[in-house]
Amino acid sequence: AAHHASASSTNLKGVLANLMPKEQARIKTFRQQHGKTVVSQITVDMMYGGMRGIKGLVYETSVLDPDESICFCGHSIPESQKLLPKAKGGEEPLPEEEQVCWLSQEWAKRAALPSHVVTMLDNFPNNLHPMSQLSAAITALNSDSNFPRAYAEGVHRTKNWELIYEDSMDLIAKLPCVAAKIYQNLYREGSSIWAIDSKLDWSHNFTNMLVHSAHAFVPHHPQYHEGGNVSAHASHLVGNALSDPYLSFAAAYEWASGPLHGKSGSTCLANTTTEGKFALKDLPNDPLFKLVAQLYKIVPNILPEQGKAKNPWPNVDYHGMIEMNYYTVLFGVSRALGVLAQLIWSQALGFPLERPKSMSTDGLMKFVDSKSGQNGIWGVGGTDYKKRRKFKKKEKKRRKFKNKVYLFCFRGPFKT
């Protein structure tokens, strides 16, 4: 019955089972009709510049639009705010209350941590970064994965998404417990975490475990930047190698260690705040939000002038805690919602393992030469300067002679 549930059902797996055959058929038809359509032009700059701007991935859960900002399932945030029902007693959008209750209870049932993971976390040294601890714990949770066992037994590939779903639901349920345990060990002298309350939602339980109150703020950051950013792409790539969600998300989580991606958030926070509140509209006189508002007005106009950014409009992330190193743990916990949802869709839609063709610099230079008709002018490694100079002189002479011929042909008839 769950496999035929409607979109209003409270059973998430049933809702997905109802949607996926329709989406599979839609994509199959689309590929049959337009499979040879060219989507993106790739330049040498793109290849050397980190593949920025190349349209080469399909990622269902979110897309980053330069004008509309982030879009979820085809809808911008303002559109989503209008389409979704409002939270009870509030102004912000939320799915149907019955669905939220079902999902909260489902995650509460799956939240218990294996004893070996708790022991490992308790034995980590205090100088091990919290995001390294989280990554190690996620990998260790792989001991309970459903997918490897079923795959070894020969499960049909059309059932892969169901196994990925079960693992993803288990992992999402356990992440707040792992993250809270890390926080208590590092910053609260190993205090025990509160038990999961099935009457509270996922975020509320998390904040209770962190600070024994519901006043902390967990970032709402389920997924952004579509599929090409470091963490989303890492999970997508590793998952399509048929690694289970635990290993896929552990790979995705390593993004947080790089100062050009996840760790940049910690650095920014350390430079702008020592304490936090919830929102500018509720606390207009808060010094932190005043500072952020000024940065938002001033910095975007400066960056293009310095050549630092083509699109200066920033992502807005917020921490709400004073332990800056812990920022990426919160970031990672909430990010799991987006990347694991995409893993499920990737398997349901049969996305293959990515295997893009790479080229060496020499090979790329030869390719460019052949396209321009200037074979060999770059030489091996682009260092044959004499050959290139000789070619340029010859080309200049040829063009000069060509111009004279044109002039002669033009003037000739007038002389006769």
Side-chain angles (χ1 to χ4, degrees), residues 32-183:
Q32 289 173 342
Q33 294 177 353
H34 303 286
K36 304 301 181 183
T37 300
V38 176
V39 173
S40 185
Q41 182 181 17
I42 300 173
T43 66
V44 171
D45 274 344
M46 287 178 173
M47 295 177 71
Y48 281 103
M51 297 191 291
R52 292 182 182 274
I54 295 175
K55 295 179 176 68
L57 295 173
V58 176
Y59 204 81
E60 300 291 354
T61 53
S62 60
V63 173
L64 186 64
D65 185 272
D67 299 316
E68 296 290 338
S69 187
I70 192 72
C71 292
F72 297 103
C73 299
H75 299 293
S76 67
I77 292 177
E79 290 171 343
S80 299
Q81 289 174 319
K82 292 178 181 178
L83 292 171
L84 288 171
K86 299 294 185 290
K88 192 173 182 179
E91 299 178 0
E92 296 303 320
L94 195 71
E96 296 291 344
E97 185 175 355
E98 293 79 9
Q99 293 178 332
V100 173
C101 290
W102 180 89
L103 190 59
S104 298
Q105 291 171 6
E106 187 72 11
W107 282 337
K109 289 188 296 187
R110 299 169 181 252
L113 297 180
S115 58
H116 71 88
V117 173
V118 176
T119 301
M120 180 183 70
L121 289 170
D122 287 340
N123 286 326
F124 278 144
N126 290 335
N127 63 345
L128 184 62
H129 198 285
M131 60 188 176
S132 300
Q133 296 190 33
L134 182 63
S135 179
I138 293 168
T139 302
L141 284 170
N142 156 270
S143 61
D144 290 347
S145 177
N146 298 284
F147 182 76
R149 290 191 294 270
Y151 186 81
E153 293 169 1
V155 66
H156 195 273
R157 60 187 180 86
T158 57
K159 298 291 184 181
N160 283 355
W161 79 263
E162 297 188 36
L163 297 162
I164 298 298
Y165 168 89
E166 296 296 340
D167 278 357
S168 297
M169 289 287 281
D170 285 341
L171 177 53
I172 291 171
K174 298 176 193 304
L175 278 173
C177 299
V178 173
K181 185 64 177 170
I182 293 170
Y183 182 82

Side-chain angles (χ1 to χ4, degrees), residues 59 61-62 172 221-223 235 334-343:
Y59 204 81
T61 53
S62 60
I172 291 171
H221 214 306
Q223 180 51 42
S235 67
S334 56
R335 163 141 312 188
L337 299 174
V339 297
L340 293 176
Q342 178 59 39
L343 280 183

